[in-house]
Amino acid sequence: MSGDVEEKRCTIKLTEEKQEEQVTFDKYEITDNSVKQTTCISKKQLKKQARHEKWLQQKPIRRAKEKEKKREKQEAKEKGIILGPSKKYLKQVKMKDSSCSICIAFDVSLDELMTEAERSKCFKQLQHCYSMNRRAPAPLQLYITSFSGAIRENLSKYPGIVNWDVYFHEEDYIDCFGKDRVVYLTSESANIVEKLEDSKIYIIGGLVDHNRHKGLCYRKAIEKGISHARLPIDEFIKMQTRKVLTIDHVFEILLRVSEGKTWQEAFLSVLPQRKGAIPKEV
């Protein structure tokens, strides 16, 4: 048994000072008649540890950026230069007072297709969308549709959601807006969103499934007989990975375009580096 590593839980006997003692390990190694306990680390824990180490490495850079930003603000204040609305002011801006009338609706009727972990990730992405909108100088008009029954119960577990500056509707998006106004955003569509129109309601599927239900939103739009379209990714950038984006990435791209950025500028500013986005000549 010398030199072997046991993965399963087991009981061994050690003799110390001529007395027997039972010791239980989750994992152990025996080398040169000595026993050493080892720790099993899962892939999830390794990733978490790697993220923490990366965060620690980047801490000095973040601090330096914060100090530089504070210094620039102080210099601008002394010179009487207005850098823009403060975070405090932006938090006070409500949708009803916004100059932007572009409407985005999150379809949360897909709740039952997700696991509990996926549902949690979905909420975090919705929360990020809401946070970005609250801090926007001109917030988009946000809706959450099909907010009823088990879906409402699941989302209500997260504190504060009912106080969001969002229009909640128990009805689905068709009952809320009618078929003529809605455009379901899906990467499988052959139609392209060329510009954002005030008269349209852009639907984002509230689904996190790691591509397990590929093409679901597209099929749903076809079955319901409503308009569908994709963002003009292929027309403005090249990507080294799949063109399927997260809920909050789609929303932020729409938000940046509503603020005056071009599609290409919005893609490049929002998409993470791992997507390998490269601008095309247009």
Side-chain angles (χ1 to χ4, degrees), residues 96 106 132 141 162 191-192 206 227:
K96 62 181 179 63
F106 296 105
M132 287 187 287
Q141 305 301 308
V162 292
N191 305 321
I192 302 170
S227 297

Side-chain angles (χ1 to χ4, degrees), residues 49-279:
Q49 185 178 346
R51 285 196 301 269
H52 182 65
E53 289 174 357
K54 186 178 179 180
W55 182 85
L56 289 176
Q57 290 172 359
Q58 294 178 343
K59 191 173 181 180
I61 300 173
R62 289 196 305 273
R63 287 286 174 85
K65 285 183 178 179
E66 288 171 4
K67 287 182 179 179
E68 180 63 21
K69 195 172 182 179
K70 190 178 286 187
R71 185 186 64 78
E72 288 176 355
K73 281 186 177 181
Q74 185 61 34
E75 288 181 356
K77 187 177 180 180
E78 291 172 357
K79 295 177 181 178
I81 300 173
I82 300 174
L83 295 177
S86 64
K87 285 185 179 181
K88 185 177 180 180
Y89 169 77
L90 292 175
K91 285 182 179 181
Q92 294 172 349
V93 177
K94 301 290 185 180
M95 286 193 303
K96 62 181 179 63
D97 303 319
S98 176
S99 59
C100 181
S101 55
I102 295 170
C103 300
I104 307 294
F106 296 105
D107 171 23
V108 297
S109 66
L110 308 168
D111 176 81
E112 62 182 14
L113 299 176
M114 295 183 284
T115 64
E116 189 60 38
E118 289 168 343
R119 195 176 289 121
S120 177
K121 288 180 181 178
C122 179
F123 172 75
K124 286 179 181 178
Q125 291 183 27
L126 291 175
Q127 191 177 38
H128 187 208
C129 294
Y130 173 67
S131 178
M132 287 187 287
N133 203 51
R134 289 288 283 119
R135 286 163 174 74
L140 299 175
Q141 305 301 308
L142 286 193
Y143 295 81
I144 291 182
T145 62
S146 298
F147 189 67
S148 62
I151 302 165
R152 181 170 188 156
E153 185 179 340
N154 286 329
L155 287 177
S156 295
K157 293 176 184 177
Y158 303 99
I161 187 171
V162 292
N163 299 320
W164 284 7
D165 183 30
V166 171
Y167 302 115
F168 290 93
H169 289 277
E170 293 185 356
E171 302 82 11
D172 71 8
Y173 47 87
I174 293 178
D175 291 335
C176 287
F177 312 112
K179 284 188 174 184
D180 294 338
R181 294 188 65 196
V182 298
V183 178
Y184 214 117
L185 298 177
T186 166
S187 60
E188 285 79 18
S189 177
N191 305 321
I192 302 170
V193 180
E194 295 181 353
K195 64 177 182 177
L196 299 180
E197 301 178 38
D198 293 348
S199 60
K200 299 295 184 182
I201 311 293
Y202 298 95
I203 312 297
I204 299 176
L207 179 66
V208 174
D209 65 339
H210 302 287
N211 216 30
R212 193 169 64 253
H213 301 287
K214 187 176 180 180
L216 176 67
C217 294
Y218 176 68
R219 293 193 300 274
K220 189 174 182 180
I222 296 294
E223 289 168 4
K224 290 183 177 289
I226 60 174
S227 297
H228 50 81
R230 62 176 175 83
L231 300 183
I233 295 176
D234 291 334
E235 286 66 32
F236 293 100
I237 61 170
K238 295 178 182 178
M239 289 177 61
Q240 297 176 3
T241 59
R242 292 186 300 114
K243 299 179 181 66
V244 179
L245 307 181
T246 60
I247 297 168
D248 47 344
H249 284 156
V250 173
F251 174 78
E252 188 176 359
I253 288 166
L254 297 176
L255 178 61
R256 300 308 167 215
V257 170
S258 76
E259 291 174 341
K261 283 182 180 284
T262 65
W263 285 110
Q264 189 175 78
E265 289 170 345
F267 290 137
L268 294 175
S269 65
V270 172
L271 297 179
Q273 289 184 351
R274 68 175 183 272
K275 290 286 186 181
I278 303 171

